[in-house]
Amino acid sequence: AQSVAQPEDQVNVAEGNPLTVKCTYSVSGNPYLFWYVQYPNRGLQFLLKYITGDNLVKGSYGFEAEFNKSQTSFHLKKPSALVSDSALYFCAVRDIPSNTGKLIFGQGTTLQVKP
Amino acid sequence: DAGVTQSPTHLIKTRGQQVTLRCSPISGHKSVSWYQQVLGQGPQFIFQYYEKEERGRGNFPDRFSARQFPNYSSELNVNALLLGDSALYLCASSWDPNEKLFFGSGTQLSVL
């Protein structure tokens, strides 16, 4: 079965420092991977996706993610964190076998950026 | 352009009641999906509709049903509400089922 795991409930980083939010996946076949961000009382916003191609994917708001097939990981990164990046981040994988476009989400990681 | 709109934004019901949640997709989007997000967890897939037909259903009981209208808007119905149905219900639309999803702000349902 397709699944993703986010091993950290919360990540704390100082403003201006690089940040990493971790995600590992388990899929049969090629993975279609996504990152979404959720601000308080808001729906999810798309950040980036990996389907095929370069292992480093660039997305919105200066975020990027590194796909690593051997480690089955898709970590979200940003070179310099902003206080406004504080939010809940979800990694997701598309459930290809179901052919429904269904996304399977991780539990989420709260990112706290302190000034 | 308007994003995905959901109504109502908040709803309070009692156990055993029925509820209908509404979603209007982004103009031109033909696929609508519903997700349930319980506090502290990631969203869980409930349904997907594409061109007014059900394309997929998650692991939810038959008390949950949905439909998509000719204008591609959608309704999610939940019958015989349980306390455990309290959650944020998210609607998402896309050009087709395999494109990225655009989410609405959700309907916060509280069952007392």
Side-chain angles (χ1 to χ4, degrees), chain A residues 28 33 36 79 82 94:
Chain A
S28 53
L33 297 160
Y36 282 84
L82 300 173
R94 174 148 288 149

Side-chain angles (χ1 to χ4, degrees), chain B:
Chain B
D1 286 341
V4 177
T5 57
Q6 292 187 243
S7 62
T9 55
H10 295 83
L11 203 51
I12 300 175
K13 292 286 188 178
T14 56
R15 283 178 296 174
Q17 286 189 312
Q18 176 266 342
V19 67
T20 298
L21 310 181
R22 296 176 175 83
C23 172
S24 293
I26 291 173
S27 178
H29 285 190
K30 298 180 179 179
S31 177
V32 170
S33 302
W34 288 94
Y35 286 79
Q36 181 197 63
Q37 186 179 12
V38 174
L39 190 64
Q41 298 182 18
Q44 298 289 315
F45 175 77
I46 310 176
F47 284 110
Q48 186 191 58
Y49 278 78
Y50 179 63
E51 289 280 21
K52 292 155 283 186
E53 292 188 1
E54 182 181 305
R55 287 286 298 269
R57 183 188 180 106
N59 188 24
F60 281 81
D62 291 343
R63 299 185 296 107
F64 288 76
S65 63
R67 55 181 175 169
Q68 187 177 32
F69 299 98
N71 66 353
Y72 303 110
S73 66
S74 178
E75 287 183 350
L76 175 69
N77 295 285
V78 186
N79 294 323
L81 285 167
L82 303 174
L83 296 179
D85 295 331
S86 296
L88 179 67
Y89 288 85
L90 295 166
C91 174
S93 73
S94 59
W95 297 105
D96 73 42
N98 291 310
E99 286 297 316
K100 70 181 182 184
L101 301 181
F102 292 82
F103 284 84
S105 296
T107 294
Q108 185 66 54
L109 173 64
S110 299
V111 182
L112 305 179

